[in-house]
Amino acid sequence: MSNRNAAKRALDGPAGEANKRQKQEAVCATEEPHPHECAVSPPPGKKNYRHYAILGGPNPGVHYTVWGVAHKWIERFRVKQQAFDDAVSAAEWYQKEKPGFADLAPDRSQPRPQQPVAPALDLDADFIPLQTEKASLQRSAPPPSGPPLSPEQTNLVHLIVDQGKNVFYTGSAGVGESRVLEAFRQHLVSKGRQVYVTAPTGRAALDINGSTTWSYAGWKPDDMGKSLKFLKQNAYEKTTRKRLRNTDVLVIDEISMVENLFLERGST
Ligand SMILES: Nc1ncnc2c1ncn2[C@@H]1O[C@H](COP(=O)(O)OP(=O)(O)OP(=O)(O)O)[C@@H](O)[C@H]1O
């Protein structure tokens, strides 16, 4: 039985009404000045993990996490989001809503936070083991936001999603690398995997709805001058450690711009 059918059955069962109610409560309108406040009621129970599909804000995408974490990504931003009980529904909703959604700007009507808002990362998500599933490419249709993949692009997505290979791919500007990235990200997310998409600069990260490699590693700009010992201690901070441990797939775009010590320092 597919996840999707399982989700449908769950909604038809005795607990279905409660699930449907919770789902409706989760709809958040973008035009409200404080969309996060009109949005989701916190689910009962501390360990209530759900699949949050979030358009906009510092950490767009589908995340399997608790309300407290999702709320951090929603507050102060003009976002549209919805909570789901299964990853496939969340990814489908995300893909469907994304083409019409463009407003990623912070909500300036809110007082600005004292600290700059670094791209928020999934601090409390469960560890989800990698799994290979041959049917995954057939199960998820190509996202409506882009043209169908060419055979070469499909093969790349297959290597990454189904075979779990470490892949380095490159090409001239405009040959369709970003299209591949978006396709495999959506497939991986729909399989419930925790994907972090990064790029070495903020500008490059924005282009791919990602965060910077520095944010991912938990480093600040002046950390470059700090010792490896300091960075190592820093990596053992709770939030960084959880983020690194929860990563199923790490994507580094524009890797040619990554300075040569990054990976060496990161691997400590
Ligand atoms: N299989 C495809 N069929 C038709 N058009 C495609 C295909 N793949 C990508 N494109 C289109 O080609 C253009 C460039 O694609 P994309 O942005 O993915 O390339 P890129 O190599 O990442 O570019 P850049 O290096 O500038 O970031 C886009 O308009 C995209 O929609």
Side-chain angles (χ1 to χ4, degrees):
M1 184 173 58
S2 70
N3 288 347
R4 181 124 188 86
N5 286 340
K8 276 187 181 153
R9 284 198 185 181
L11 287 173
D12 290 333
E17 281 311 308
N19 282 343
K20 280 179 194 163
R21 250 197 325 278
Q22 223 171 18
K23 193 168 171 180
Q24 279 167 358
E25 282 169 11
V27 177
C28 179
T30 51
E31 61 271 15
E32 294 296 326
H34 310 297
H36 52 284
E37 287 174 5
C38 73
V40 187
S41 310
K46 200 177 169 188
K47 276 280 169 194
N48 201 337
Y49 279 61
R50 302 190 75 199
H51 298 270
Y52 289 90
I54 302 172
L55 284 148
N59 203 16
V62 177
H63 306 277
Y64 183 56
T65 188
V66 292
W67 162 250
V69 174
H71 186 253
K72 283 185 206 154
W73 299 331
I74 293 166
E75 64 178 349
R76 300 186 191 286
F77 288 89
R78 296 187 192 281
V79 302
K80 190 173 183 186
Q81 62 82 29
Q82 193 160 333
F84 294 87
D85 294 322
D86 68 288
V88 176
S89 301
E92 282 176 356
W93 182 87
Y94 183 83
Q95 288 169 14
K96 187 165 146 273
E97 297 291 325
K98 194 180 171 196
F101 186 83
D103 187 5
L104 298 180
D107 183 354
R108 297 294 182 203
S109 64
Q110 289 289 295
R112 299 193 70 176
Q114 288 180 344
Q115 297 292 326
V117 179
L121 293 153
D122 200 356
L123 310 181
D124 292 337
D126 269 340
F127 175 72
I128 302 164
L130 283 173
Q131 42 184 307
T132 51
E133 200 179 314
K134 281 269 175 200
S136 66
L137 282 175
Q138 287 114 39
R139 194 179 62 193
S140 304
S145 52
L149 299 178
S150 70
E152 202 177 357
Q153 289 172 318
T154 305
N155 187 41
L156 261 177
V157 174
H158 175 68
L159 282 174
I160 296 164
V161 176
D162 289 341
Q163 298 192 2
K165 301 273 189 203
N166 285 320
V167 170
F168 171 83
Y169 68 93
T170 184
S172 309
V175 296
E177 295 145 286
S178 305
R179 176 72 185 90
V180 171
L181 192 162
E182 198 50 42
F184 73 71
R185 168 154 66 179
Q186 287 174 350
H187 283 300
L188 289 167
V189 166
S190 74
K191 293 169 76 148
R193 296 189 194 166
Q194 194 66 49
V195 182
Y196 287 104
V197 177
T198 65
T201 67
R203 176 61 197 264
L206 270 179
D207 286 345
I208 50 168
N209 280 343
S211 61
T212 64
T213 43
W214 284 70
S215 293
Y216 174 77
W219 301 341
K220 300 179 187 65
D222 59 347
D223 283 354
M224 194 57 195
K226 303 232 167 88
S227 67
L228 283 178
K229 189 176 167 202
F230 173 88
L231 292 180
K232 202 168 174 179
Q233 280 167 352
N234 206 30
Y236 279 94
E237 276 181 10
K238 195 176 163 200
T239 53
T240 306
R241 190 177 64 229
K242 277 192 177 178
R243 180 163 65 241
L244 299 180
R245 281 193 176 160
N246 287 341
T247 303
D248 291 323
V249 179
L250 174 63
V251 181
I252 306 179
D253 194 21
E254 305 289 1
I255 198 165
S256 61
M257 290 199 291
V258 174
E259 43 88 21
N260 59 357
L261 288 177
F262 176 81
L263 292 177
E264 190 184 332
R265 293 164 81 86
S267 69
T268 62

